[in-house]
Amino acid sequence: MAVAEEVEVEEVETEQTKAKKTKAKKDADAESGDEDEKQKPKDSAETVAPAAAPAAPAAPEFKLSQIIPMVAMMGLQKFNLEEMGYVHHVEVGYAFVQVVCLALCLLIYLRIDKMVDDGRKIRIPEVKQMGQVVSPAKEQTAKEYDMDKLKEMVKQPLLGTVITAGIYYKWGSLMPLVMQLLMTPFTLYEGPLTQIHLLGKTMERPFPTPPGPFAGLMPDAPADEPKADEPKAVTKKKDE
């Protein structure tokens, strides 16, 4: 009887041990399953990166020298400066603005003249207008390049002054005077030489060339394609 009882006790203990092991195994499997589920979204997030959003197109840049003329034209259509008695005011203001702009150009010239020429050359691409090469490609130092650009910048207000004065003398219209009075200082302010030598900003050379008024109407010149080798003519002698 004692032996039978011991056998039964051992069987009970064996069954309990098996039950504990089975339960422990199930708990371990459940924990490993939870860890795998937690790691899956992380792994998928790491392996599958979200697609990069396309870059937004650059917003068009509006300059004061482009907006002011439109505002001035709308204002002159509503108000008659001659009837209001502002003719002499416009004349004096126009002359004063031109003198101030020329004085600023002289100041820019003095600043450029004081530049230290380090000898480094800048590659200047060729300039085309109406399909014709106006200025060939060349290499210049920063000082030489700024001097050339200053000459171009001074020619514009001088030429505009001559044309505007001629129109006003011939037809007596205040519209050109008002337009030049407003446009000249803003154009000078937006110029790269003013930004560099008067405002202390840094800009890369060569400066971007603004498109001409007929740039959109002229088709681009086709690229020169290499000509294929022409087949040589083969002459056969006739049998005599």
Side-chain angles (χ1 to χ4, degrees), residues 5-232:
E5 290 178 358
E6 289 178 0
V7 172
E8 291 178 359
V9 171
E10 289 178 358
E11 291 178 354
V12 172
E13 290 178 355
T14 304
E15 291 177 359
Q16 291 178 353
T17 303
K18 290 182 180 179
K20 289 180 180 180
K21 290 181 179 180
T22 304
K23 184 178 180 181
K25 186 176 181 181
K26 290 181 180 180
D27 295 341
D29 294 339
E31 290 178 358
S32 62
D34 295 338
E35 291 179 356
D36 293 340
E37 290 179 358
K38 291 180 180 179
Q39 290 178 356
K40 281 181 181 179
K42 293 181 180 180
D43 296 339
S44 60
E46 292 177 357
T47 55
V48 182
E61 182 180 0
F62 295 99
K63 297 182 179 181
L64 290 176
S65 59
Q66 299 173 348
I67 300 175
I68 292 298
M70 295 186 292
V71 177
M73 292 181 64
M74 294 175 61
L76 291 175
Q77 290 177 357
K78 294 183 179 180
F79 302 99
N80 192 335
L81 298 180
E82 295 179 0
E83 295 179 356
M84 298 172 65
Y86 289 112
V87 175
H88 295 295
H89 296 78
V90 173
E91 294 174 348
V92 173
Y94 174 77
F96 176 76
V97 167
Q98 301 305 314
V99 171
V100 170
C101 290
L102 289 176
L104 291 176
C105 290
L106 177 60
L107 180 58
I108 293 174
Y109 169 80
L110 297 176
R111 297 284 179 86
I112 296 174
D113 189 56
K114 292 180 180 179
M115 289 177 61
V116 178
D117 195 349
D118 54 4
R120 289 186 297 179
K121 298 289 185 177
I122 303 171
R123 292 184 178 180
I124 314 300
E126 65 180 11
V127 179
K128 289 185 177 182
Q129 290 183 0
M130 306 293 291
Q132 300 295 327
V133 177
V134 179
S135 176
K138 55 187 174 181
E139 292 185 355
Q140 290 180 318
T141 62
K143 185 175 182 178
E144 294 172 346
Y145 179 74
D146 287 2
M147 278 295 183
D148 285 351
K149 287 298 179 182
L150 179 62
K151 293 177 183 178
E152 295 178 6
M153 187 175 70
V154 173
K155 287 179 183 178
Q156 293 178 359
L158 288 178
L159 183 61
T161 300
V162 173
I163 295 174
T164 304
I167 294 174
Y168 181 67
Y169 176 79
K170 181 67 176 178
W171 291 283
S173 175
L174 288 178
M175 174 74 77
L177 293 183
V178 175
M179 299 293 288
Q180 288 295 322
L181 187 153
L182 297 174
M183 289 178 59
T184 303
F186 285 108
T187 304
L188 179 63
Y189 171 78
E190 294 169 353
L193 294 179
T194 304
Q195 299 291 319
I196 294 173
H197 298 286
L198 296 184
L199 302 180
K201 295 184 180 180
T202 303
M203 298 184 68
E204 293 184 0
R205 297 176 179 86
F207 307 137
T209 304
F214 304 104
L217 302 178
M218 296 298 296
D220 296 335
D224 296 336
E225 297 180 357
K227 295 182 179 180
D229 296 335
E230 296 180 356
K232 296 181 180 180

Side-chain angles (χ1 to χ4, degrees), residues 230-237:
E230 296 180 356
K232 296 181 180 180
V234 179
T235 58
K236 295 183 179 180
K237 293 182 179 180

